[in-house]
Amino acid sequence: MKIAVFLDAQGRTAPLWQPGVVAVFTRDDHGWRACQSVPFALSPHMRLAEIRRRTQAMLSALPGCRHFVAQDIHGALLAWLDGMGVTMWRCRGEPSGFLDQLAERIPAPSAPVTLLPEAFILPTEQEGVFRLDLIAALRCGDGAHTSRRLLQPFLQQRPFQRLEVICDHVPKWFDNLLPEWGMSAQVETRDDHTLYVVITRQDDKHVR
């Protein structure tokens, strides 16, 4: 079992609207221990797209962890995380004081939860423009996602002007299906050797 806990500099649970660290705890014969630590910072003044981008990046770094503890969380962020299959818990104090009791309240695992494809495609500040970090999405899916499963529902069902995709290779199905759907893709190689692919509609036609 993995439980992620959002901590402040003093090692106590903190509200999500302040900078802190997400510590992932696992339990063995000697008790609970932190096996991973991920810096995380949100602000209530951020745009929703930036909040979602940072949260998605944090979750993609914690594969297999579906329980998240913070001192306080509410509003759209709570609803969005719940929709991604993450169970939120409100606790106060140091993890050693509540992890045992919390573990008793967590039911035995059933089938693993897989994030829905649409959770990975994020709107930008520009209307009609969306972005997908395909590398992070495939890693977060624990093998359950493919590039086509992530992208096809969006491309065929959602109105958009441009979709920006970060990937390590261009999916082979782009060559055949994008022209068939009235779309084209432009590819650039970035300084970190990843690819930046921009998908646009040809003549602004809707997908059949």
Side-chain angles (χ1 to χ4, degrees):
M1 177 188 297
K2 294 182 179 180
I3 301 177
V5 185
F6 185 60
L7 302 173
D8 60 18
Q10 288 71 46
R12 300 172 64 86
T13 56
L16 280 181
W17 297 119
Q18 71 178 52
V21 172
V22 179
V24 179
F25 289 86
T26 60
R27 184 166 54 181
D28 56 25
D29 294 339
H30 302 287
W32 293 95
R33 61 181 181 87
C35 63
Q36 190 177 0
S37 180
V38 179
F40 187 57
L42 296 179
S43 164
H45 305 295
M46 289 179 180
R47 293 180 179 271
L48 181 59
E50 177 65 11
I51 292 174
R52 293 185 67 184
R53 185 191 69 79
R54 293 193 181 197
T55 304
Q56 178 185 314
M58 179 268 292
L59 291 176
S60 69
L62 311 176
C65 185
R66 290 292 173 260
H67 293 276
F68 193 101
V69 179
Q71 185 185 106
D72 188 34
I73 179 172
H74 54 80
L77 183 57
L78 176 60
W80 186 61
L81 286 169
D82 181 71
M84 295 179 72
V86 178
T87 301
M88 300 298 303
W89 303 87
R90 293 184 178 91
C91 298
R92 291 180 177 270
E94 298 179 357
S96 59
F98 59 75
L99 284 176
D100 280 335
Q101 292 84 353
L102 179 58
E104 293 177 358
R105 299 171 60 186
I106 296 175
S110 53
V113 176
T114 300
L115 303 186
L116 297 177
E118 56 266 27
F120 296 98
I121 301 178
L122 308 178
T124 67
E125 296 182 1
Q126 185 176 352
E127 184 177 358
V129 179
F130 296 80
R131 182 173 294 120
L132 166 65
D133 186 337
L134 184 59
I135 299 172
L138 292 174
R139 183 171 63 243
C140 191
D142 289 337
H145 293 315
T146 65
S147 61
R148 186 165 175 175
R149 182 173 186 268
L150 287 163
L151 283 164
Q152 185 169 347
F154 178 88
L155 295 174
Q156 292 191 301
Q157 300 171 16
R158 291 284 298 275
F160 71 97
Q161 296 180 2
R162 187 169 77 244
L163 174 62
E164 302 169 354
V165 182
I166 306 301
C167 54
D168 55 15
H169 69 280
V170 178
K172 294 181 179 180
W173 58 271
F174 276 20
D175 291 339
N176 294 325
L177 291 184
L178 289 186
E180 180 181 329
W181 297 341
M183 300 177 187
S184 62
Q186 295 181 334
V187 183
E188 298 179 6
T189 301
R190 306 200 305 178
D191 292 340
D192 60 0
H193 303 295
T194 59
L195 301 179
Y196 176 74
V197 182
V198 178
I199 299 174
T200 55
R201 297 183 186 278
Q202 297 172 353
D203 300 325
D204 197 29
K205 293 180 180 178
H206 289 287
V207 178
R208 295 190 301 271

